Amino acid sequence: MREIRDAVDRGKPVLGICLGAQLIAKALGAMVYRNPAKEIGWAPVYWTEQAAADPLFRGFSRPEPVFHWHGETFDLPDGAERLAYSEVCANQAFRIAGNVYGLQFHLEVTPAIVEDWCRSDEKCGSAREMVAPINPHENALRLEEMAGIIFDRWCGLLS
């Protein structure tokens, strides 16, 4: 956590996905805790007004299907702007300090990764998290398109 805080203090860009977003939130003084419901599989995120002008999310205004696999959530750190939410998780994306982003959802997954996560979960016995089968290809093309746009914009922050 100290490394995250140090990077933020030095003005370095930071991107955290899922657990990474939770770690950023915690490193910046916010609480991380169990979400009222697990969010696993494809579900839409909704963009806030702040997302419309955000360097990564500008142009996204309609609900977008993304991949989720989490049972925890976080409060926003002081000074953070909420950029996205879902029906069961209030904080899906945030920005703080202009170049620090936390995404609770997964843009980075491919159908192969989703298949692997599902196979791994099937072996977990009573600790299984999935409640229904997941089609790894269901929204994969749109997710790949979104990921290309957003990660390309993220890379632009690094220069």
Side-chain angles (χ1 to χ4, degrees):
M1 294 259 206
R2 189 182 89 250
E3 292 82 4
I4 294 170
R5 181 79 235 177
D6 290 348
V8 173
D9 289 346
R10 289 192 324 267
K12 301 288 184 185
V14 179
L15 174 64
I17 297 174
C18 198
L19 175 60
Q22 296 166 19
L23 291 172
I24 292 170
K26 186 171 176 98
L28 299 180
M31 296 293 298
V32 176
Y33 48 91
R34 187 168 307 283
N35 197 50
K38 287 185 179 181
E39 197 169 23
I40 297 174
W42 299 102
V45 292
Y46 304 89
W47 309 104
T48 65
E49 289 182 21
Q50 291 82 2
D54 182 77
L56 300 190
F57 299 108
R58 70 181 183 278
F60 293 98
S61 57
R62 296 176 304 145
E64 293 283 358
V66 296
F67 196 76
H68 304 269
W69 199 298
H70 68 96
E72 294 74 35
T73 189
F74 48 83
D75 292 332
L76 293 179
D78 288 343
E81 287 188 276
R82 183 171 75 138
L83 302 171
Y85 60 94
S86 70
E87 292 177 8
V88 298
C89 186
N91 296 318
Q92 284 286 347
F94 69 90
R95 182 188 71 230
I96 191 166
N99 61 358
V100 177
Y101 286 85
L103 311 180
Q104 183 65 73
F105 54 90
H106 295 273
L107 285 174
E108 80 285 5
V109 298
T110 63
I113 291 171
V114 173
E115 287 171 350
D116 183 56
W117 288 0
C118 291
R119 272 193 308 276
S120 296
D121 188 66
E122 289 170 355
K123 297 174 186 171
C124 290
S126 64
R128 285 192 67 193
E129 295 186 297
M130 290 187 316
V131 295
I134 296 170
N135 177 349
H137 299 277
E138 185 175 344
N139 296 294
L141 291 176
R142 178 59 181 152
L143 188 71
E144 181 180 8
E145 181 181 7
M146 288 176 55
I149 293 167
I150 293 166
F151 290 148
D152 185 56
R153 291 174 178 174
W154 163 253
C155 289
L157 296 177
L158 302 176
S159 54

